Amino acid sequence: MDEGQADATASSRVSSARRAEQYLGDLDERLAQDNLDNLLNRFDYTAEDARAGRPNPSPVPIDGDLRTGLASLQQALKHYHAFLTEQNATPDRATQQAQVARLTRAEIEAAMDDCDRLGLAAFLARGGFVKPQVWVAGEDRGERNYPAKAVVAAAMGHLPGGRTPGTKQFFGGFGEPQAFARLEALGYRLLRPEAEGEENPFSRDAVEAAMDDFEEYRASGAHADDFAGFEEPTGYWVRSTRPRPDRRFPSKPIVGKLLHKPASAFSGGWSQPQTAAALLHNAGYVITDESDQPLPLPESHAHLMRGAERARLVALNYFIAPAREAGRPAVTIRVGDLHGMSGLVRNWANVCQALEGSKFRTLAAVSEPRRTGPVQGASTEYTFSLIPTASMPEVPAGELSMSNTKPTNLILFGPPGTGKTYATAAEAVRLLCGEPVPEDHGELMKVYRRLSEEGRIEFVTFHQSMSYEDFVEGLRPVTNGDGDEPATSAGFRLKPVPGIFRRIASSAERDRGRSASALHLDGRQVYKMSIGNSALPQDAPLFAQALAEGCTIFGFADLDWSDPRFAEPAEIASAMQRLDDWAGVKPGSPSVRMTDIFRNRLKPGDILIVTRGNLLVRAVGEVTGEYEFHPRPEGDYGHRRAVRWLWSDAEGVPATEFYRKKFSQLTLYPLVPEDLNVPVLERYMNSRTPEEPAAPDPFVLIIDEINRANVSKVFGELITLLEEDKRLGCDNELHIKLPYSRERFGVPQNLHIIGTMNTADRSIALLDTALRRRFTFRELMPDPNVLSSNVDGIDLRKLLTTLNDRIEYLFDRDHQIGHAYFIRCETKEDVDDVMRHKIIPLLAEYFYEDWSKVAAVLGDLTPQEGDIDGAFLVRRRLTAPTGLAGDEMAPRYRWKMKEGAFSYQNLQP
């Protein structure tokens, strides 16, 4: 045994080796016939095995603590194997590198002879190597190739006095590059896999082929050189996409086979991007437990693929490809099945979006599916035809609309400074775009701002004074004549005015989604126009007629302006002056100017915004024709222009969505481009027509600091309408009658609500129970890893971790400090400024001005009763007033922040 070891240690190892021989027979013979790893596997029995009641894999009977006994036998086998192979005498690193440098072609050729004599599998197993990625060409040996690393290791055994190291001893991170360099220096050609053009190692065919090999290994022991070194998994399995007697396979051996890596090269879970289960998961395979049940995704592992991207790959691997392989003409995918396999949690919207989108149709080479069942839910089904067709519809790249969106009610909660408000932007863009959000924050905010300008994102911050009237609707004073009705008297009246929630809910309900067209305002003039007087009942049919006949209708003088001479405003004025009703007009009069605009200035391609009164817009259209005169029997309104109506709503939407200024009473006039809300107008211009399938765009309402208001009071009866099955269009849809307007109101499905909640401001436990039941809660905690480890010598990661550990010890986890406080610190002065003006005042608030606890968090508290000159705080003992001094009086102190620079030694243990 090992030289220099204690007699008791040597005696114990000899005893263990003899015990192993009782169950295995002569160890010299067994180790000569079998691989050490195979023998060790027979004595492998974990705590999980014991809890699960799995059978004992070893020939050793259960006696007391079986696992402890087996561990000692495993150790004995390892020591005895080392004794036989003299691996314990492997040279150190410097000696080993010197041996590699001594190699000549003679030793390399001798190693190649060993490989020819033993066969590849035995040659690799002798040193614990697996199937290699790099080979060395034996150009004088009939073009045979040899495993490069194993050849160098074997060649070292042919040096005078040399020993053959195993893979762990020689290639533990330093020998491989030198070995390959030595082979090339000796004139050998290395064969490496090409980085470009290489086949995807995680393609469905490759994964299933590895599973085929593993099945053979299970049945007959074939492919032992690929799989024998791997242990049985305890937590992560991968499900085959093909029908098999047992569809679950251990994830680690499958990935080892695909990447040609040994068991020691990586782990089998999914805690890191390059672990086995994570690699298979991100390639679209289902990771299960031992019972073949899909495993839920931990929120903390951001590298794991989620959402629509994940659902697309799973649908392709487990539904489309197998059905196509079996020659079936079509396949039906049930949303609930794909949802569960994809590891999602109550997120059927992502599954529906994945199956309906153009990306999946391109990926799977299928046409648009047929949907059956509810609009959106676990029982919704999509049927795809697998018969090739040349008429697959295409959706313009970058289209942002998402159809049949399941409503999301989400609250992000956590301590201050954890990026909750920051995260709402990414969450809103994800919900509205339906695709992975841009990783660059600047690009993300560009998309966010554009969607906000389109009116699809609204942001509100709750506060203690927030009321139902602010949020839903309330009565507001309006001046008589300010609106649809003409002024009849002085003074004001109270009018129901919608709040932010009702406004965005109404916008979402009216939305019809995007048309296939892509109209823009570039090069177009936009005009405000009224069609008739909305306050006069006799003018009401004009608007409906205009929509029905595809035109806009204009009044002002029952004259035909078709004659070319009316291209001049003066001629228009002259003709109007001959009529009794218009005798007093002049070339500069509003009626002449508006007639000139309608007859001469409007151009095909210009945009009309048709108003209802001055406060509402009820139609948007594109001018497509020149002036025409169509007289009416009753007179008036005989002037027309052909118009393609792009959007209309008889009730109208707030004019403030379109134009920053208030509309005037003029019938027709050009709008100032700088005051137009171009994104909103373009959204309405590209709305689907009533004849097109309705697929409304999603909208998002972000409520920051949702727990700072009285939630029950602010939401009122709407709390019930937020539930998924109570939304408009659902089986259990509900309406309520609003208290002020008396109008019926419901919440549409395409409105998502995202809230943020600071747990330090108010405990989550105090939140209204009704709201808690209707929202999903996602915790955001401080993440020190996003901070720098060196800002002028300050390790911000350790600093934040230390602060939060002490805060949690003295207070609770909800009052920790978020990473956002330090995210922009680039110098020590920046850190000092944050500590002085933000962190220390916040700690004082947390501990109710108990400065001893603040000092304890900062590491400045000492046990003595005297003065303290700390790294952040200074304490001075106060002198008791005359007459109060005495031993019975507890000492009192004055605390203040230290002037000048701080020291961070106590916050970086």
Side-chain angles (χ1 to χ4, degrees):
M1 304 300 283
D2 292 346
E3 294 181 5
Q5 66 186 7
D7 291 341
T9 302
S11 174
S12 175
R13 290 181 177 177
V14 169
S15 175
S16 295
R18 288 175 177 168
R19 187 176 176 214
E21 286 189 324
Q22 293 178 8
Y23 303 107
L24 294 175
D26 186 89
L27 288 183
D28 292 351
E29 294 181 3
R30 292 307 303 269
L31 288 169
Q33 297 170 1
D34 206 346
N35 183 280
L36 174 63
D37 288 336
N38 290 341
L39 293 178
L40 291 174
N41 286 340
R42 297 191 63 189
F43 293 90
D44 188 18
Y45 196 66
T46 67
E48 280 193 27
D49 294 328
R51 286 195 296 269
R54 299 188 184 102
N56 173 18
S58 76
V60 181
I62 295 178
D63 182 15
D65 189 346
L66 173 66
R67 293 188 304 279
T68 302
L70 293 181
S72 66
L73 291 175
Q74 282 185 317
Q75 194 67 23
L77 284 170
K78 291 177 182 177
H79 281 289
Y80 196 75
H81 181 264
F83 168 73
L84 291 177
T85 59
E86 295 184 303
Q87 286 184 1
N88 58 312
T90 299
D92 60 22
R93 174 174 177 169
T95 303
Q96 212 160 26
Q97 289 179 328
Q99 288 179 339
V100 172
R102 288 170 51 201
L103 292 176
T104 66
R105 290 184 67 94
E107 288 81 29
I108 300 298
E109 294 296 330
M112 291 180 177
D113 290 339
D114 292 345
C115 185
D116 290 340
R117 184 182 74 256
L118 296 172
L120 178 61
F123 181 69
L124 291 170
R126 186 175 67 172
F129 296 96
V130 296
K131 188 175 181 180
Q133 289 184 293
V134 180
W135 300 75
V136 56
E139 297 178 357
D140 297 331
R141 296 170 173 265
E143 297 299 320
R144 290 195 61 184
N145 300 322
Y146 297 85
K149 290 190 294 187
V151 162
V152 173
M156 291 173 65
H158 288 279
L159 288 169
R163 292 184 174 87
T164 302
T167 181
K168 292 182 180 179
Q169 286 73 34
F170 183 64
F171 297 105
F174 65 86
E176 182 175 294
Q178 187 187 17
F180 292 162
R182 186 58 184 164
L183 288 171
E184 290 179 323
L186 293 173
Y188 289 98
R189 181 166 57 92
L190 296 183
L191 307 175
R192 293 184 172 91
E194 294 295 332
E196 296 183 3
E198 190 178 4
E199 291 186 3
N200 175 18
F202 293 97
S203 68
R204 179 170 177 267
D205 288 342
V207 173
E208 294 296 335
M211 292 176 176
D212 291 340
D213 290 349
F214 195 84
E215 277 190 330
E216 293 181 12
Y217 171 69
R218 281 172 172 165
S220 65
H223 307 288
D225 51 336
D226 291 319
F227 301 119
F230 291 90
E231 301 175 353
E232 279 294 314
T234 56
Y236 299 93
W237 303 72
V238 58
R239 181 186 293 175
S240 172
T241 68
R242 292 175 179 165
R244 301 174 186 266
D246 185 357
R247 294 183 66 184
R248 61 185 179 87
F249 290 82
S251 61
K252 192 173 176 182
I254 297 301
V255 174
K257 170 75 173 178
L258 294 169
L259 299 182
H260 310 296
K261 288 187 176 182
S264 59
F266 61 101
S267 62
W270 57 17
S271 59
Q272 300 296 327
Q274 298 304 315
T275 53
L279 290 168
L280 289 166
H281 171 93
N282 287 348
Y285 292 91
V286 177
I287 305 301
T288 73
D289 60 17
E290 189 176 9
S291 301
D292 198 33
Q293 295 301 310
L295 293 173
L297 304 185
E299 287 290 337
S300 58
H301 295 351
H303 58 275
L304 295 177
M305 184 188 296
R306 302 167 194 270
E309 185 180 11
R310 164 86 173 142
R312 278 192 287 267
L313 289 176
V314 174
L316 175 63
N317 284 339
Y318 289 87
F319 292 93
I320 300 295
R324 189 170 275 146
E325 196 173 70
R328 292 162 54 190
V331 61
T332 297
I333 303 177
R334 184 178 180 273
V335 168
D337 296 339
L338 180 57
H339 179 274
M341 293 168 65
S342 300
L344 305 180
V345 178
R346 297 183 62 79
N347 202 353
W348 296 288
N350 271 331
V351 176
C352 292
Q353 173 221 332
L355 296 179
E356 293 171 355
S358 60
K359 280 193 173 183
F360 182 66
R361 297 202 293 272
T362 301
L363 176 70
V366 294
S367 58
E368 192 169 355
R370 176 173 56 87
R371 191 191 71 209
T372 56
V375 172
Q376 203 164 64
S379 59
T380 305
E381 294 183 340
Y382 292 88
T383 300
F384 293 89
S385 172
L386 301 182
I387 301 174
T389 175
S391 59
M392 289 188 180
E394 294 185 1
V395 178
E399 181 178 338
L400 293 178
S401 63
M402 182 173 67
S403 61
N404 301 326
T405 305
K406 176 190 171 187
T408 295
N409 295 331
L410 173 67
I411 289 180
L412 306 175
F413 72 98
T418 52
K420 298 179 291 299
T421 306
Y422 183 92
T424 59
E427 192 68 26
V429 170
R430 182 187 68 80
L431 289 168
L432 296 186
C433 297
E435 302 294 341
V437 301
E439 293 184 3
D440 179 74
H441 185 67
E443 293 299 319
L444 167 68
M445 293 310 298
K446 286 182 182 178
V447 178
Y448 177 87
R449 283 189 289 270
R450 175 169 58 79
L451 293 169
S452 297
E453 291 168 356
E454 287 183 9
R456 293 174 60 195
I457 297 176
E458 289 286 353
F459 186 99
V460 61
T461 300
F462 275 11
H463 49 82
Q464 288 87 344
S465 300
M466 195 75 175
S467 67
Y468 178 92
E469 288 73 17
D470 299 316
F471 190 60
V472 184
E473 74 166 14
L475 296 175
R476 296 286 186 274
V478 295
T479 304
N480 287 329
D482 187 7
D484 299 338
E485 299 140 5
T488 57
S489 63
F492 67 90
R493 59 191 172 85
L494 294 176
K495 180 181 178 181
V497 175
I500 187 170
F501 182 78
R502 187 183 170 195
R503 289 199 300 270
I504 192 170
S506 298
S507 295
E509 183 181 358
R510 287 190 302 265
D511 190 85
R512 291 198 296 265
R514 301 299 179 92
S515 174
S517 61
L519 299 178
H520 299 283
L521 280 182
D522 297 341
R524 304 172 188 261
Q525 176 63 55
V526 181
Y527 293 85
K528 176 264 183 183
M529 185 171 187
S530 301
I531 299 179
N533 189 332
S534 60
L536 299 178
Q538 62 268 29
D539 284 358
L542 291 173
F543 178 68
Q545 182 184 358
L547 294 182
E549 297 181 9
C551 66
T552 186
I553 301 174
F554 182 73
F556 293 95
D558 196 17
L559 293 171
D560 184 357
W561 306 113
S562 300
D563 193 290
R565 76 176 189 275
F566 293 116
E568 296 297 329
E571 291 293 333
I572 295 174
S574 177
M576 292 179 71
Q577 289 168 357
R578 299 188 187 100
L579 301 176
D580 292 341
D581 293 342
W582 303 96
V585 300
K586 298 178 181 180
S589 297
S591 55
V592 175
R593 292 202 312 269
M594 289 185 286
T595 302
D596 177 55
I597 291 173
F598 191 84
R599 196 268 185 212
N600 300 316
R601 308 301 174 205
L602 280 180
K603 298 290 189 296
D606 287 344
I607 299 297
L608 297 179
I609 294 178
V610 179
T611 61
R612 176 184 168 187
N614 292 335
L615 301 180
L616 298 172
V617 171
R618 56 179 175 176
V620 174
E622 178 188 19
V623 177
T624 59
E626 301 294 341
Y627 169 81
E628 298 177 12
F629 182 60
H630 292 264
R632 290 158 37 103
E634 61 271 33
D636 290 335
Y637 292 103
H639 312 293
R640 294 193 178 191
R641 284 287 197 121
V643 170
R644 179 164 69 103
W645 294 110
L646 305 173
W647 168 85
S648 66
D649 185 325
E651 295 299 319
V653 301
T656 51
E657 288 190 28
F658 296 82
Y659 202 54
R660 296 182 180 89
K661 292 183 177 179
K662 185 179 178 180
F663 287 138
S664 76
Q665 295 282 15
L666 292 174
T667 298
L668 178 64
Y669 64 92
L671 298 177
V672 178
E674 291 75 18
D675 292 325
L676 281 168
N677 190 330
V678 175
V680 167
L681 180 54
E682 288 187 344
R683 176 163 65 84
Y684 282 98
M685 287 167 56
N686 290 287
S687 293
R688 293 177 186 263
T689 64
E691 293 75 25
E692 293 181 276
D697 283 345
F699 289 68
V700 170
L701 173 62
I702 298 174
I703 306 174
D704 201 25
E705 305 287 358
I706 192 171
N707 58 318
R708 294 188 65 222
N710 185 331
V711 173
S712 300
K713 178 182 176 182
V714 172
F715 277 88
E717 69 275 20
L718 297 189
I719 200 73
T720 302
L721 305 186
L722 296 179
E723 291 189 50
E724 297 165 6
D725 66 326
K726 306 298 191 302
R727 300 287 186 107
L728 298 178
C730 295
D731 294 339
N732 300 317
E733 76 170 29
L734 286 180
H735 291 82
I736 61 168
K737 185 174 287 187
L738 294 172
Y740 298 108
S741 65
R742 308 306 296 168
E743 294 179 0
R744 284 168 56 83
F745 176 74
V747 180
Q749 294 184 61
N750 59 325
L751 175 59
H752 306 289
I753 302 173
I754 304 172
T756 70
M757 193 171 72
N758 186 341
T759 54
D761 185 54
R762 181 181 175 190
S763 171
I764 187 173
L766 300 178
L767 194 65
D768 187 277
T769 304
L771 189 72
R772 286 176 56 85
R773 187 170 66 82
R774 290 167 173 86
F775 276 77
T776 298
F777 286 75
R778 182 187 302 167
E779 186 177 50
L780 296 181
M781 295 300 288
D783 183 6
N785 292 325
V786 303
L787 301 177
S788 172
S789 60
N790 187 357
V791 174
D792 289 347
I794 302 172
D795 188 335
L796 293 180
R797 298 177 183 178
K798 289 185 178 179
L799 184 151
L800 183 63
T801 301
T802 303
L803 284 174
N804 284 331
D805 286 349
R806 293 172 181 174
I807 292 171
E808 186 170 356
Y809 181 87
L810 293 170
F811 202 161
D812 59 37
R813 69 190 300 271
D814 287 339
H815 286 74
Q816 295 182 54
I817 293 172
H819 49 271
Y821 283 99
F822 298 99
I823 200 75
R824 291 184 175 84
C825 292
E826 297 180 354
T827 65
K828 184 178 184 298
E829 288 73 20
D830 292 340
V831 183
D832 283 354
D833 188 66
V834 169
M835 292 295 296
R836 184 179 302 277
H837 300 294
K838 295 182 179 181
I839 303 302
I840 295 177
L842 181 63
L843 293 175
E845 179 184 338
Y846 279 179
F847 295 110
Y848 305 100
E849 302 294 328
D850 185 345
W851 284 93
S852 62
K853 289 186 178 179
V854 176
V857 172
L858 298 173
D860 281 352
L861 191 63
T862 58
Q864 75 269 14
E865 295 183 354
D867 295 345
I868 294 176
D869 288 317
F872 298 92
L873 302 177
V874 175
R875 184 180 80 176
R876 294 291 179 262
R877 184 168 179 169
L878 298 174
T879 302
T882 304
L884 293 179
D887 294 339
E888 71 279 1
M889 294 295 299
R892 302 291 296 271
Y893 302 98
R894 174 188 294 125
W895 292 87
K896 68 175 183 177
M897 267 188 275
K898 180 180 179 180
E899 297 180 1
F902 293 146
S903 172
Y904 294 88
Q905 183 176 355
N906 292 337
L907 291 178
Q908 301 179 94

